[in-house]
Amino acid sequence: MYKPLLILTASLALSLPALSQAGAKEDFNEVYSKVESTHNQAGTYQWTTTANQLKAAKEAADSGDYEKALEMAEQALKYAEQSLEQRKQQQEKWPAVAIGN
Amino acid sequence: MRIAKVILVAVGATLTAPLALAGDTPEEDRKETVEYFQQKFPDVPLEEFVNGQYALDEDRRKQWESMSDFPPFEFAVAEGQEMFETPFANGKTYASCFENDGIGVRQNYPYFDTEKKEVITLELAINRCREANGEEPLKWKKGPIASISAYMASTSAGKKFDIEVPNDDALAAYQAGKEFYYTRRGQLNFSCASCHVQNPGNWIRADLLSPMLGQVANFPVHRAKWGEMGTLHRRFTGCNRNVRAVPLEAQGEEYRNLEYFMTYLNNGLPVVGPATRP
Amino acid sequence: MRKGLVSVCLTTLALTAMPPVYAEPTQADIDRGKELAFSRKDGNCLACHKIDDGKLTGTVGPALADMKSRYPDREILFKRIWDETQFNPVTVMPPFGRNMILNEEQINRIIDYLYTL
């Protein structure tokens, strides 16, 4: 009676590493495209820090290490978001420090 | 800064009746900028600001003067002259593209082309001249274009910058350049003004920060750090990188507008390019 | 008398909820802090500040000395390194924490070092 359940559990346990790797790849691709779009939205306010981090994340993904790639992409996303925030803030704040404003 | 503004408003009020709000026009910006730097550096004569850090520091100036017998840009000027005078495949030369055959015209660049509605820098004009005559454009940041630009600047030595803002499109380009100069960028969160308005005369490590007033007048430059000549847009790229901001395209719209704004502030100051910098 | 004061302090410490107490930094913490403060790719503090035996120091910011008497409150010093623009909007000092130039742990090591100056 318990046999099917046992088999199911066992097969799940066996496929878990592959599943998590596949999950990381999907997660990475999702975060990566989010970084790209945020980085693009930053326009002329892009950071080299983001660009370098994005490149390193891509390299990790190309070598198949999606766990590491995901971690790096998440950091890149933080950089990109901060650069976008800088763009929004600076467009309002700059006249306060300008000569002749 | 505030004092300068008050003085200007007071002077203006006595001279003209309906004065536009201070800082509304490029000319007001320029006057306030001059006032700001003269108050900051009362011992520096106005015309000296084009020499950047050498106007601010005696030791640096002495090192600079000791180099003036054999300036490192001389070769580039000679090379630039040769290229300038060598006809294109179609038999024409650069002279055919410029006013006064391209001699003594540096002080009018960049200018705003009211038909194309864009800022035309000297380097852009050089490459457009090539393309109009069936030649490949040169790379923007160093090499032949810097040499030709250096030669053309050398024929304009001492002429006073005379940049115009002819219409509203030009004013928009000027304002865009101004906004670029004052907005903080990069992970390090610096604007051009952070260093060159707020901190000229201060040192960042072994680098002495130059004042905004007079910047541009000395380009193209031979930098010891580069070991060769480079254009203004090469320098912009380096500045952006230093603050961890992704550099923009050399001769792209943003950098041309920036150059337009910066050069306008030099109106009345002499062309001193090519020059040398650390 | 001093002993008495110390014991009173210790008692108070034990009895009341104190703001975060920082463990005495080890020499390794302090050394790490100096390394982070001097390194060009990390704090690069010498670019603008004169510090200790640092070479080729900048003049943009004030010399960093007597830090414990100038910043008795560690939290405040931390916040100013994290984001000085919150204290002075026109400062040119990079917001080290906010812009993720340094992380929390790195800033704390730098403070360990600064407090020895």
Side-chain angles (χ1 to χ4, degrees):
Chain A
M1 192 179 170
Y2 290 107
K3 216 173 176 186
L5 202 64
L6 206 71
I7 290 167
L8 190 68
T9 318
S11 62
L12 264 179
L14 282 172
S15 63
L16 210 58
L19 259 179
S20 96
Q21 184 66 10
K25 185 176 177 177
E26 268 172 31
D27 289 352
F28 166 75
N29 285 335
E30 196 185 322
V31 176
Y32 189 85
S33 64
K34 206 170 166 193
V35 183
E36 278 188 319
S37 84
T38 312
H39 188 51
N40 284 338
Q41 283 173 53
T44 63
Y45 287 74
Q46 291 179 341
W47 293 2
T48 51
T49 329
T50 316
N52 294 340
Q53 183 80 12
L54 205 52
K55 201 172 149 223
K58 182 81 170 44
E59 278 166 12
D62 287 347
S63 76
D65 190 346
Y66 286 101
E67 300 279 348
K68 188 180 166 200
L70 175 62
E71 205 175 292
M72 296 183 100
E74 277 166 348
Q75 183 61 39
L77 183 58
K78 288 183 190 165
Y79 292 141
E81 282 167 347
Q82 193 59 28
S83 69
L84 182 57
E85 181 61 25
Q86 182 185 49
R87 177 184 182 166
K88 287 175 185 158
Q89 282 193 11
Q90 284 301 303
Q91 283 175 339
E92 286 175 19
K93 284 184 176 173
W94 75 268
V97 292
I99 298 177
N101 273 82
Chain B
M1 203 150 112
R2 187 169 290 161
I3 294 171
K5 200 176 272 187
V6 170
I7 290 171
L8 275 166
V9 171
V11 171
T14 57
L15 294 176
T16 57
L19 185 76
L21 280 175
D24 262 358
T25 67
E27 195 49 16
E28 284 298 326
D29 284 355
R30 190 190 67 76
K31 284 180 185 166
E32 281 200 45
T33 303
V34 167
E35 196 77 26
Y36 174 83
F37 285 100
Q38 285 195 313
Q39 282 181 6
K40 208 170 172 71
F41 302 103
D43 298 333
V44 175
L46 182 57
E47 296 226 326
E48 273 297 315
F49 280 97
V50 291
N51 294 318
Q53 58 179 285
Y54 304 129
L56 307 183
D57 187 81
E58 198 54 37
D59 286 343
R60 284 281 165 112
R61 191 179 183 91
K62 277 180 190 151
Q63 289 170 25
W64 175 55
E65 281 170 349
S66 72
M67 286 166 70
S68 62
D69 286 341
F70 301 102
F73 50 77
E74 248 179 3
F75 175 75
V77 172
E79 184 187 68
Q81 177 168 9
E82 202 185 318
M83 290 188 276
F84 186 85
E85 290 168 353
T86 306
F88 301 125
N90 68 3
K92 289 192 185 174
T93 62
Y94 285 102
S96 67
C97 300
F98 292 91
E99 229 172 274
N100 199 39
D101 293 341
I103 304 302
V105 297
R106 172 71 181 93
Q107 69 283 0
N108 300 323
Y109 284 84
Y111 71 91
F112 192 84
D113 184 325
T114 51
E115 275 170 30
K116 294 201 178 92
K117 296 185 180 177
E118 64 174 344
V119 171
I120 310 290
T121 63
L122 185 58
E123 287 80 11
L124 187 68
I126 289 169
N127 260 349
R128 292 224 172 132
C129 178
R130 292 180 62 85
E131 290 179 296
N133 285 287
E135 303 283 330
E136 288 289 309
L138 301 168
K139 287 190 170 169
W140 293 121
K141 293 196 271 191
K142 56 183 177 180
I145 205 160
S147 297
I148 296 169
S149 171
Y151 166 66
M152 292 179 77
S154 76
T155 67
S156 319
K159 292 195 183 285
K160 304 283 167 72
F161 277 99
D162 184 17
I163 307 301
E164 290 172 3
V165 180
N167 62 18
D168 283 351
D169 292 328
L171 185 61
Y174 170 93
Q175 291 291 359
K178 181 176 175 180
E179 178 173 333
F180 193 98
Y181 197 91
Y182 284 105
T183 39
R184 293 168 180 249
R185 276 154 214 275
Q187 191 184 25
L188 299 187
N189 204 41
F190 278 87
S191 68
C192 308
S194 299
C195 287
H196 304 290
V197 173
Q198 293 183 256
N199 283 290
N202 271 326
W203 296 79
I204 286 200
R205 296 262 189 186
D207 294 323
L208 181 57
L209 297 171
S210 63
M212 169 204 226
L213 183 64
Q215 276 181 330
V216 175
N218 56 304
F219 273 83
V221 295
H222 183 285
R223 282 190 86 193
K225 189 182 168 185
W226 293 336
E228 60 180 2
M229 299 290 295
T231 60
L232 179 63
H233 291 216
R234 180 181 184 184
R235 189 72 190 89
F236 285 166
T237 303
C239 277
N240 275 164
R241 247 186 250 281
N242 284 347
V243 302
R244 302 184 191 168
V246 174
L248 305 176
E249 289 291 314
Q251 298 298 333
E253 190 183 6
E254 292 90 354
Y255 280 177
R256 277 184 287 138
N257 289 344
L258 178 62
E259 178 176 346
Y260 186 47
F261 163 71
M262 292 175 74
T263 316
Y264 183 91
L265 299 180
N266 288 342
N267 274 352
L269 298 180
V271 172
V272 288
T276 163
R277 290 290 185 274
Chain C
M1 188 171 168
R2 182 171 287 176
K3 228 175 199 172
L5 202 65
V6 169
S7 70
V8 167
C9 284
L10 284 176
T11 318
T12 327
L13 197 76
L15 290 177
T16 57
M18 296 286 287
V21 177
Y22 296 91
E24 249 339 274
T26 63
Q27 189 57 45
D29 289 338
I30 292 167
D31 291 347
R32 175 78 185 126
K34 182 173 182 177
E35 194 185 315
L36 286 163
F38 280 30
S39 147
R40 281 172 195 257
K41 69 170 181 49
D42 298 304
N44 199 14
C45 310
L46 300 176
C48 296
H49 301 275
K50 188 177 186 303
I51 312 172
D52 204 1
D53 59 350
K55 304 274 190 304
L56 287 179
T57 59
T59 59
V60 172
L64 301 183
D66 304 320
M67 295 302 281
K68 223 161 198 167
S69 59
R70 282 166 63 197
Y71 295 97
D73 186 342
R74 186 176 172 122
E75 284 287 308
I76 297 287
L77 181 56
F78 182 91
K79 283 181 180 164
R80 298 191 74 155
I81 299 173
W82 185 267
D83 186 2
E84 172 67 10
T85 67
Q86 296 298 313
F87 296 80
N88 170 14
V90 301
T91 186
V92 301
M93 179 153 146
F96 287 95
R98 176 163 62 88
N99 277 10
M100 298 161 281
I101 301 160
L102 297 169
N103 64 32
E104 197 176 326
E105 195 268 336
Q106 290 172 316
I107 294 177
N108 272 316
R109 294 297 75 74
I110 289 175
I111 294 176
D112 290 341
Y113 165 61
L114 293 179
Y115 271 165
T116 68
L117 302 174

